[in-house]
């Protein structure tokens, strides 16, 4: 693959982006400059209409108020997080479409892929977004080949699932321009290592890699069938076990039965939808494998001690930034 001759980098940071995601894209370039001994990368932060963009943690980031400042950049990185349906306004999409032809490479992380797709910049490309949104993203943009990889390189279109994959993506850009030695030095400065793009976003094994691989395979089968839950005997047979043996491995490794673990996956997926989307209750129930909204509501209340509608109302008034105000 030809090297990316990145020099001027524009970061489009939208309200409710993550501070960690911002740092994961900017700091690798700063670190590369330090190891190289010169400013191989120069950057600016943009958020249309704002001089300070609010992040999810409650902090603000100084920025330029016009996307036109990104014109002619070698790389544009679009960083969006929560409430992308609110920040992805028609004027923003139009501005992205106007500036895109002047930019060599366009990348996005987390919900930034939604901005790219709405601007028709991912048509015919492979792409990814945060794993929680993959299904909705694929349904919304059938012209995009959606994959669950950590980050995806598709010509001049790059996408990453979140903060850690964004770091991997940026070190890949550094490696392509300056070679593997500098990329390793950058990763080493942060006491980490870069993972390849094709690694799945969600690691179903434990941190030490000690989990029985058949349990890992069963979990993956559960994650892939939340909408249409399979019988546990079928999942067990699919990984070469009896249902009883699968039960024993789950209880030994996770402290839960396979059925309880499966239900927890479905309810946590439903909880995310309640917090982050406007999907009606019946759709959420269907998307997480419940036969009706009433059945879903009973299971949700039993697990979380509140109704789905009550949880959604509570989320609507929740900032989540943890900032102590005087």
């Amino acid at each position: 693959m030809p090297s990316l001759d990145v020099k001027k980098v524009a970061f489009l940071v939208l309200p409710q982006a993550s501070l960690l995601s911002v740092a994961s894209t900017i700091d690798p370039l700063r670190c590369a400059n330090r190891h190289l001994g010169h400013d191989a990368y120069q950057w600016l932060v943009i958020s249309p209409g704002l001089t300070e963009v609010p992040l999810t943690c409650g902090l603000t980031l100084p920025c330029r108020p016009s996307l036109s400042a990104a014109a002619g950049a070698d790389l544009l990185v679009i960083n969006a997080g929560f409430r992308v349906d609110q920040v992805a306004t028609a004027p923003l999409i139009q501005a992205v479409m106007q500036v895109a032809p002047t930019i060599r490479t366009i990348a996005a992380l987390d919900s930034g892929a939604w901005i790219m797709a709405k601007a028709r910049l991912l048509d015919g490309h492979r792409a990814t977004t945060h794993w929680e949104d993959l299904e909705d993203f694929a349904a919304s943009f059938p012209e995009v080949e959606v994959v669950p990889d950590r980050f995806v390189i598709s010509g001049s279109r790059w996408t990453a699932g979140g903060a850690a994959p964004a770091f991997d993506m940026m070190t890949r850009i550094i490696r392509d321009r300056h070679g593997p030695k500098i990329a390793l030095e950058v990763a080493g400065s942060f006491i980490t290592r870069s993972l390849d793009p094709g690694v799945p976003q969600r690691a179903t094994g434990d941190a030490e890699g000690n989990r029985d691989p058949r349990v890992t395979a069963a979990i993956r089968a559960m994650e892939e069938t939340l909408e249409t839950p399979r019988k546990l005997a079928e999942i067990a047979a699919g990984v070469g076990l009896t249902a009883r043996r699968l039960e024993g491995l789950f209880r030994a490794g996770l402290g839960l039965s396979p059925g309880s673990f499966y239900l927890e996956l479905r309810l946590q997926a439903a909880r995310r939808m309640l917090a982050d989307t406007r999907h009606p209750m019946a759709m959420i129930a269907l998307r997480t494998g419940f036969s009706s909204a009433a059945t879903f509501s009973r299971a949700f209340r039993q697990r979380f001690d509140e109704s789905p509608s009550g949880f959604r109302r509570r989320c609507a008034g929740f900032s989540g930034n943890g900032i102590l105000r005087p």
Side-chain angles (χ1 to χ4, degrees):
M1 186 176 66
S3 296
L4 283 174
D5 186 25
V6 177
K7 184 173 182 180
K8 178 184 176 183
V9 183
F11 294 98
L12 171 57
V13 181
L14 298 174
Q16 298 305 307
S18 160
L19 177 61
L20 184 58
S21 294
V22 172
S24 293
T25 52
I26 297 178
D27 251 6
L29 301 186
R30 186 271 310 161
C31 189
N33 284 348
R34 180 170 73 87
H35 284 289
L36 291 164
H38 64 94
D39 286 343
Y41 300 95
Q42 299 175 337
W43 56 86
L44 67 158
V45 178
I46 300 165
S47 195
L50 299 172
T51 56
E52 290 187 330
V53 57
L55 305 177
T56 52
C57 63
L59 301 178
T60 58
L61 183 68
C63 58
R64 301 192 190 186
S66 174
L67 191 53
S68 62
D74 297 289
L75 172 67
L76 171 66
V77 180
I78 303 174
N79 188 343
F82 292 113
R83 302 175 184 171
V84 69
D85 57 330
Q86 298 176 26
V87 300
T89 63
L92 172 68
I93 301 303
Q94 185 62 33
V96 170
M97 294 176 73
Q98 288 176 349
V99 78
T102 74
I103 296 172
R104 180 177 301 179
T105 302
I106 301 178
L109 62 146
D110 207 327
S111 297
W114 291 77
I115 308 296
M116 287 183 71
K118 286 176 178 289
R120 317 301 299 184
L121 299 177
L122 291 177
D123 288 6
H125 286 274
R126 294 174 71 249
T128 194
T129 189
H130 193 281
W131 63 266
E132 293 180 354
D133 298 327
L134 281 170
E135 187 174 348
D136 280 345
F137 186 74
S140 299
F141 305 106
E143 60 279 1
V144 181
E145 182 186 348
V146 180
V147 295
D149 300 356
R150 287 177 66 81
F151 71 97
V152 175
I153 302 166
S154 183
S156 62
R157 303 292 185 256
W158 296 48
T159 49
F167 180 91
D168 300 338
M169 180 178 73
M170 299 309 289
T171 53
R172 175 61 176 267
I173 288 170
I174 293 166
R175 190 190 81 178
D176 285 350
R177 187 181 184 200
H178 302 288
K181 181 176 180 294
I182 293 296
L184 285 171
E185 288 175 350
V186 169
S189 292
F190 295 98
I191 318 178
T192 188
R193 63 187 180 92
S194 299
L195 296 178
D196 291 332
V199 175
Q201 292 181 31
R202 301 189 71 185
T204 52
D206 62 18
E208 294 77 26
N210 293 325
R211 181 175 296 163
D212 190 300
R214 294 167 296 182
V215 171
T216 297
I219 292 172
R220 185 173 296 114
M222 292 175 183
E223 291 173 338
E224 292 173 351
T225 56
L226 298 183
E227 188 169 338
T228 54
R230 297 169 58 190
K231 293 181 179 179
L232 293 176
E234 294 177 1
I235 291 177
V239 299
L241 295 171
T242 64
R244 184 176 180 179
R245 179 59 177 152
L246 184 66
E247 173 101 14
L249 289 175
F250 261 74
R251 290 192 180 278
L254 299 170
L256 291 172
S257 70
S260 296
F261 188 90
Y262 206 175
L263 178 60
E264 182 70 11
L265 286 177
R266 293 162 56 204
L267 287 171
Q268 291 293 348
R271 205 165 185 243
R272 290 191 296 270
M273 290 185 203
L274 288 167
D276 299 336
T277 76
R278 298 177 182 177
H279 295 335
M281 214 64 68
M283 178 183 291
I284 293 174
L286 183 65
R287 292 275 299 276
T288 51
F290 292 94
S291 58
S292 67
T295 302
F296 162 58
S297 184
R298 283 194 298 272
F300 190 94
R301 183 182 289 277
Q302 184 174 3
R303 170 62 179 85
F304 299 112
D305 200 28
E306 64 180 327
S307 68
S309 57
F311 174 75
R312 173 170 271 177
R313 284 194 301 271
R314 186 161 57 83
C315 288
F318 175 59
S319 68
N321 59 42
I323 292 287
L324 290 174
R325 301 298 182 189

